Amino acid sequence: MIRHYCTNIIFLIIIPTIFFNSIFAKNLPIVLLHGILSDKYAMIPAEKHIKKYLPDVYIKSINLGEGIMTSLCNMHDQVKLLKKEMENDAHLKDGCIMIGHSQGGLVARYFIEKYNKPRVYIYIAWGTPEHGIFGSP
């Protein structure tokens, strides 16, 4: 119940952001990046939800290397893998919207700061520790 509620709240934020940030952004492809100890298949529910509201948009869910084990590798290497994946996809040549979950958001932000080619017009960090973390529960 709570998970469903949180998912709906998140997408109530994401969908309007995509629509209202820029008129030209409505046709940009969307790149999804998974979090730590995960792989691109963990982003399938997000992809389905986006497709529900934006059925014609191209969505690419990127596996950072080999998924679960690669997410423990050096961040620089993960960004290089992301860069290679994005450069090899013709749909992304004119730019994209990037949504990163957890560690995927950190990888996305580093990619934008270091390369940003293909260009990321809209960056959405979803559950990403942008300012680090403090303590433990």
Side-chain angles (χ1 to χ4, degrees):
M1 173 85 170
I2 291 175
R3 183 176 181 185
H4 180 70
Y5 176 76
C6 290
T7 302
N8 286 340
I9 292 297
I10 289 168
F11 282 100
L12 285 174
I13 294 168
I14 291 173
I15 300 303
T17 301
I18 291 170
F19 279 117
F20 297 117
N21 265 337
S22 174
I23 293 171
F24 74 92
K26 69 180 179 180
N27 293 321
L28 284 175
I30 298 174
V31 174
L32 300 175
L33 290 171
H34 63 82
I36 193 168
L37 296 177
S38 187
D39 56 22
K40 69 180 183 177
Y41 302 106
M43 299 302 284
I44 290 173
E47 186 174 342
K48 286 181 180 179
H49 206 81
I50 293 168
K51 282 284 190 189
K52 179 178 174 181
Y53 294 98
L54 302 169
D56 298 328
V57 73
Y58 173 77
I59 300 175
K60 180 174 183 86
S61 188
I62 293 181
N63 214 20
L64 293 173
E66 297 174 17
I68 294 172
M69 294 313 294
T70 310
S71 66
L72 297 173
C73 293
N74 186 307
M75 184 73 72
H76 303 290
D77 296 335
Q78 292 180 50
V79 172
K80 287 178 187 174
L81 291 168
L82 173 60
K83 181 178 186 280
K84 183 178 176 184
E85 283 281 330
M86 290 184 65
E87 288 176 342
N88 290 336
D89 192 325
H91 291 98
L92 304 177
K93 68 179 175 57
D94 294 325
C96 67
I97 297 166
M98 189 174 283
I99 301 172
H101 175 251
S102 190
Q103 181 176 312
L106 296 176
V107 173
R109 183 173 174 186
Y110 181 35
F111 169 82
I112 294 165
E113 290 176 5
K114 184 166 178 140
Y115 302 110
N116 205 21
K117 188 169 182 163
R119 186 164 179 188
V120 176
Y121 287 97
I122 298 172
Y123 161 65
I124 299 170
W126 173 21
T128 299
E130 295 284 351
H131 294 288
I133 58 171
F134 174 76
S136 62

